[in-house]
Amino acid sequence: MSLDSTLSADAVRSSRLAERLLVPAGFVTTAGNAFQITAAAILVFHAEQTTLAVGWLFIAVSIPQVALAVLFGKLVDKVDRRMLCVAADLVSAMTALALPLWLWMGGPANLGSYIANFMLACTAALFMPASNGLIKERIRDERLGKFNSHFEMASNSGMLLASSLAGFLVIWFGATPLFVFNSLSFVLSAVLVYAIGRKPVKAPVTVETSTTEAPSEPVEVPVRQPVKRLALLYANGNIGLMVANVILTTLILQTFNQGAWMIGVVDALAGAGFIIGAAAYGKVSKRFKGIHLAVLGTLGNLICLAIQPLHYIALMAAIPFAGFCFAQGRIAARTLLMRASPEARVGRIFGGTQALGLGLGVGATVALSSLADATSVPYAFWGLALLQGAIVIGTYFSLAKPLSAQEKRPAEVLEATAA
């Protein structure tokens, strides 16, 4: 067996191992974070009784990621991504454990929630580009679509299902045990990521040259990938997640005058819709192009979003379909961006995308939360649907021409560059 074939086989085994370990790592991390943020949001709302107070909690989570994501993204492209993920998880575990200790000592719940979530956001600003860089580095390109469907299903179902349980668990046990669980989830994630092992050595590329013969075929110029516009398409989903988490809490507790139990029911329904959507992504993606699926999935989610504030029955009826549509749009947009990103720059690309999405999300959260407090919460839902709809439609028309040009070129001449 040749050296090249041995190295190639090692890379395939490493890719399969990474797939098996990164999916559960994503699940436990997002589940723990969902317990943390949902419990913290309930504590803050009961203390302040305003939408904007909950909004400031999510803004406190977002500001460090906006400020640090690009800087950390550049670091990710220079340092061992696996060990950066492990380090971020362990620091997050210690930070998450500090909040229940603060509460046990009698510290103010709202102050502790703001500080702890702010510190967790600082490490998340490192973990996000590092984990995406690790995925691009370890998962074979032809497996990215299938892996992303599994990863998004695990991550988002973990977030939504944990949020649904959090509503009930806060009632039964209080918020403190959920913060302890979040700390333990970071430790488990670190163990899973470490178990992936070191990056396998890639097979060397051999180039044969001849000084007497001219090339028989013309060399094609690499196609520039529209990375910035694909990043905006993916970041649009982050805007929706951030704002919807804020206004949905107020819609249930204030507008519909229901208890925390309904947060659990609604998140469970959204989680079920998302899981079904992610599981069906493989079949659905065979019928639609990636860009069309990203746009249609997002628009379907926004239609459901506009229905949700009409009545709590409408909310529970529409949100499973919203979850299904969100899964299609989210996975398609993520796969498009990851395939377009060169491995050497994927950290800064996803770091910049995270900063863009959260930066826009912060502005939208302040504006729409203020709108909700000044008028009523349904207007914030409809404003969010209009904002995201304008972004996705505008981005689609700007992408139609460059993506069409790429389809006419051989795959081997495509080269991802920020355009």
Side-chain angles (χ1 to χ4, degrees), residues 92-409:
S92 295
M94 291 185 288
T95 304
L97 187 59
L99 179 55
L101 293 176
W102 169 268
L103 296 176
W104 281 329
M105 291 186 296
N110 52 350
L111 177 62
S113 296
Y114 283 128
I115 294 175
N117 284 282
F118 179 87
M119 296 302 297
L120 284 171
C122 292
T123 51
L126 173 62
F127 183 84
M128 191 273 178
S131 62
N132 280 286
L134 187 63
I135 290 169
K136 176 72 175 182
E137 174 187 292
R138 300 300 182 94
I139 307 299
R140 290 175 295 160
D141 194 63
E142 65 272 17
R143 296 279 301 174
L144 278 177
K146 187 172 184 179
F147 171 82
N148 280 331
S149 68
H150 293 163
F151 185 82
E152 288 283 348
M153 179 170 61
S155 299
N156 286 278
S157 64
M159 176 184 67
L160 293 169
L161 292 176
S163 296
S164 67
L165 287 175
F168 296 105
L169 294 176
V170 166
I171 295 173
W172 295 336
F173 305 109
T176 301
L178 303 187
F179 301 141
V180 176
F181 177 84
N182 188 33
S183 177
L184 296 176
S185 72
F186 283 120
V187 175
L188 179 56
S189 174
V191 171
L192 290 170
V193 172
Y194 184 80
I196 292 172
R198 295 182 178 179
K199 181 181 178 180
V201 179
K202 290 187 177 181
V205 179
T206 57
V207 180
E208 295 182 3
T209 59
S210 173
T211 57
T212 59
E213 296 184 4
S216 58
E217 297 182 358
V219 178
E220 297 198 54
V221 178
V223 176
R224 291 174 64 84
Q225 298 268 25
V227 173
K228 292 180 180 178
R229 282 165 283 178
L230 290 173
L232 179 60
L233 188 66
Y234 181 65
N236 193 32
N238 291 344
I239 299 170
L241 280 175
M242 181 177 179
V243 180
N245 280 332
V246 174
I247 60 179
L248 185 60
T249 300
T250 308
L251 180 73
I252 292 171
L253 298 179
Q254 186 180 79
T255 304
F256 295 154
N257 197 27
Q258 301 296 319
W261 65 271
M262 180 167 278
I263 297 176
V265 171
V266 167
D267 283 335
L269 291 171
F274 189 94
I275 291 171
I276 295 170
Y281 176 79
K283 293 182 179 179
V284 176
S285 63
K286 292 178 182 178
R287 297 177 178 271
F288 298 92
K289 293 179 181 179
I291 182 62
H292 294 160
L293 190 53
V295 173
L296 292 175
T298 302
L299 292 178
N301 175 59
L302 296 180
I303 292 172
C304 294
L305 180 72
I307 295 172
Q308 291 169 22
L310 298 178
H311 193 272
Y312 70 88
I313 299 298
L315 169 63
M316 291 190 289
I319 205 160
F321 296 99
F324 182 92
C325 293
F326 180 79
Q328 306 305 317
R330 179 76 168 180
I331 296 168
R334 176 184 172 86
T335 302
L336 286 168
L337 178 58
M338 190 162 284
R339 283 180 173 160
S341 302
E343 185 179 319
R345 298 182 64 247
V346 68
R348 69 192 70 184
I349 288 172
F350 271 85
T353 301
Q354 181 79 345
L356 172 65
L358 292 175
L360 292 174
V362 167
T365 297
V366 173
L368 294 174
S369 295
S370 299
L371 176 65
D373 289 333
T375 56
S376 65
V377 177
Y379 286 104
F381 275 80
W382 300 327
L384 176 61
L386 289 174
L387 172 63
Q388 287 194 269
I391 291 174
V392 72
I393 291 172
T395 305
Y396 169 72
F397 283 113
S398 74
L399 283 169
K401 185 175 180 179
L403 290 181
S404 177
Q406 287 180 21
E407 292 175 359
K408 300 176 183 179
R409 305 293 293 272

Side-chain angles (χ1 to χ4, degrees), residues 80-86 134 138 193-198:
D80 187 331
R81 292 160 176 169
R82 167 173 159 260
M83 296 312 298
L84 284 177
C85 288
V86 172
L134 187 63
R138 300 300 182 94
V193 172
Y194 184 80
I196 292 172
R198 295 182 178 179

